[in-house]
Amino acid sequence: MPAGKGEEAMKAQTVHTALLCAVLTFAVSNHLQAAPSLPITKPPVTPNNLTGPMVDPMAINGQWFLNNDGIEEFRTHEFYDNVIDHGGGTKESGAIIGKVVLINGGAFTPGQPIGSFDVNATIYNDTPTREGSWADGGNSHEESLSTQSDYVGTLIDTKLTAEFAIIDPSMLPAFFGHPYRDRQPYIIAENEDQHAWYCWNEEAQQEQDGNFFVPTWDFGDIPVNQQASRQMNFSVNPPMDSTDLRYAAIVDSMEFGEDIFANRTTSLKISTWIDDVAIDTGVPYFNPEEFPLRSSDV
């Protein structure tokens, strides 16, 4: 889970990570259930296994990112989407929304293979406090988090990561073993700003660092009750045909405005790679390994 030396310590403590693996939708007109921003540093995250980059192999500082200039930086908090009550919520209480706005550069007819698609992604900062405890967090690397502490305020230097996409085919691992997936055809990010560490563990130490990177987009600072949007561009190699379960999700998102960022878990950090894309049905579920996604897609 990922990378980087922060700027000054103060900023690093307040920086927040919006994970595409812990992300979903939030209707800006109905902020009845706040999306929490919770600490993802160790402690209280346990156990102390190797899940970070070489500079911080235990990922004590939180989620790590790698800039295009090779500089690593970390973020200490994760902005969850709909973790309230049962680790989920209603579709009207999403904090992160992704809608497909273009397929094949606009020259697409349903039934044709998908060679590229663009997603308009929006993050709403809805961090007011509420009474009661947050659902516990966890991930596929046996890290867990239980806390009553949630951050309220501006989301600083917010990151969004797509766990369903890869950086580049040349950066795939030499072999795939749980929890990694060889999910072909590959959805490849084309305009990402940074790379986020998926994991670094004993099984992966002999692998090339880049094997476990996830594409990341920078959404900047987002004040409370404000939003930020980005267009995310992807190619598909080889082109995806209609027999692929992801095909219908991509097409339905463009045709019906469906949210393609399906995540209703309390997945901790980036905890699934390579993941699926799926329409957010609004149905809450607990287990990060549970249907319809193993944890989340953003």
Side-chain angles (χ1 to χ4, degrees), residues 29-127:
S29 61
N30 185 7
H31 289 180
L32 299 179
Q33 299 188 53
S37 186
L38 302 179
I40 54 172
T41 55
K42 297 177 182 177
V45 181
T46 58
N48 286 327
N49 55 357
L50 302 178
T51 57
M54 294 184 68
V55 66
D56 183 17
M58 293 184 182
I60 293 174
N61 293 295
Q63 181 74 39
W64 284 81
F65 298 88
L66 181 68
N67 295 324
N68 291 330
D69 58 6
I71 302 298
E72 293 178 326
E73 59 184 359
F74 61 85
R75 295 295 179 266
T76 61
H77 285 66
E78 179 168 295
F79 184 59
Y80 282 99
D81 186 26
N82 300 334
V83 45
I84 294 189
D85 294 331
H86 17 213
T90 64
K91 191 168 184 177
E92 287 73 38
S93 60
I96 303 172
I97 298 175
K99 296 183 179 181
V100 176
V101 294
L102 207 62
I103 299 178
N104 292 349
F108 174 75
T109 300
Q112 291 181 338
I114 297 175
S116 66
F117 64 97
D118 300 335
V119 176
N120 186 48
T122 300
I123 301 174
Y124 298 102
N125 179 356
D126 187 44
T127 58

